[in-house]
Amino acid sequence: MKKLLLSLSIVIGTISFAQSADGPKFGIKAGGNLSSFTGGDSKSKIGFYAGAFVNIPISDVFGVQPEIVYSQQGAKAKSDYEMATYTIKNMQQMLGYINVPIMLQYNATPEFYLEAGPEFGILVNAQAKGDINGSTYKADNKDTMKSFNFGAGIGLGYKFTPNLGVNARYIAGITKILKNDFGDSSKNTNFQLGLNYFF
């Protein structure tokens, strides 16, 4: 939580003191996630993200873009399981985060840019879901997950018009997902593809 508050302070400070002829541009963004966990027992799960951002030019070619985004992540189990008299199928873990990425952007051209930076996340919901002996069960398991997530992102984008653009980003998790991992060091991975709209 302290790390998230520090990142938010940096965002506010950057917005307050950034000097630019163009000035900051606010916008909204939304798109799809293809997320998973590191390790060999999971496969990708489709989700979505949506949020807002402010793009702050700091020179002719560099800018910084703080964001606040709700991101639906998680993973599916690769295989079905047999436990005693139970047959477990279609297991998946759903995770919902409020993420705060802070991307440093390099504008290679007026339309095309590259970006990289940290992402700070707070877990807001978690649910395990699966079919046990033919019946579907859901369970809230947020208490077993770490509430803070830290990752590093890299991406690129293209602006079709001054108001509309597309962005692709990969975020690699650095912190572990589970509170008590019992040897499981799984971390989040997430690929995002979506649209940005500048006001």
Side-chain angles (χ1 to χ4, degrees):
M1 182 62 78
K2 290 181 181 178
K3 291 180 181 178
L4 181 62
L5 292 175
L6 176 61
S7 71
L8 290 173
S9 298
I10 293 170
V11 171
I12 293 168
T14 303
I15 293 171
S16 300
F17 296 106
Q19 299 293 324
S20 168
D22 293 336
K25 293 182 180 179
F26 294 87
I28 55 175
K29 62 184 306 184
N33 287 333
L34 189 64
S35 61
S36 188
F37 302 147
T38 57
D41 295 331
S42 62
K43 61 181 182 179
S44 298
K45 177 185 177 298
I46 295 174
F48 72 91
Y49 71 89
F53 62 87
V54 55
N55 187 275
I56 307 163
I58 54 178
S59 75
D60 290 340
V61 293
F62 286 101
V64 63
Q65 182 165 294
E67 305 173 2
I68 183 163
V69 179
Y70 175 78
S71 184
Q72 186 187 66
Q73 298 172 209
K76 294 180 179 180
K78 270 188 177 178
S79 308
D80 299 334
Y81 298 91
E82 299 284 343
M83 293 180 62
T85 59
Y86 298 102
T87 300
I88 304 170
K89 298 182 178 182
N90 303 319
M91 285 296 298
Q92 57 180 300
Q93 176 66 57
M94 294 169 280
L95 301 173
Y97 288 96
I98 297 294
N99 289 329
V100 180
I102 304 175
M103 294 289 124
L104 177 66
Q105 296 182 339
Y106 169 69
N107 298 300
T109 72
E111 296 82 20
F112 177 73
Y113 62 88
L114 302 172
E115 63 180 9
E119 180 178 271
F120 308 88
I122 293 294
L123 183 67
V124 292
N125 53 65
Q127 185 183 75
K129 178 182 176 182
D131 299 329
I132 303 176
N133 290 347
S135 299
T136 300
Y137 290 89
K138 299 178 182 179
D140 185 308
N141 62 345
K142 184 181 174 184
D143 289 344
T144 66
M145 305 289 172
K146 289 189 175 181
S147 59
F148 177 76
N149 185 66
F150 177 66
I154 186 169
L156 50 84
Y158 186 83
K159 298 176 183 176
F160 300 112
T161 72
N163 298 103
L164 185 64
V166 63
N167 178 261
R169 185 182 297 168
Y170 175 76
I171 305 101
I174 295 174
T175 54
K176 297 178 183 180
I177 300 169
L178 295 173
K179 285 182 179 177
N180 301 304
D181 53 37
F182 301 110
D184 183 351
S185 58
S186 292
K187 302 170 185 177
N188 283 302
T189 67
N190 192 24
F191 175 76
Q192 296 181 329
L193 180 63
L195 296 174
N196 296 346
Y197 183 80
F198 297 83
F199 294 111

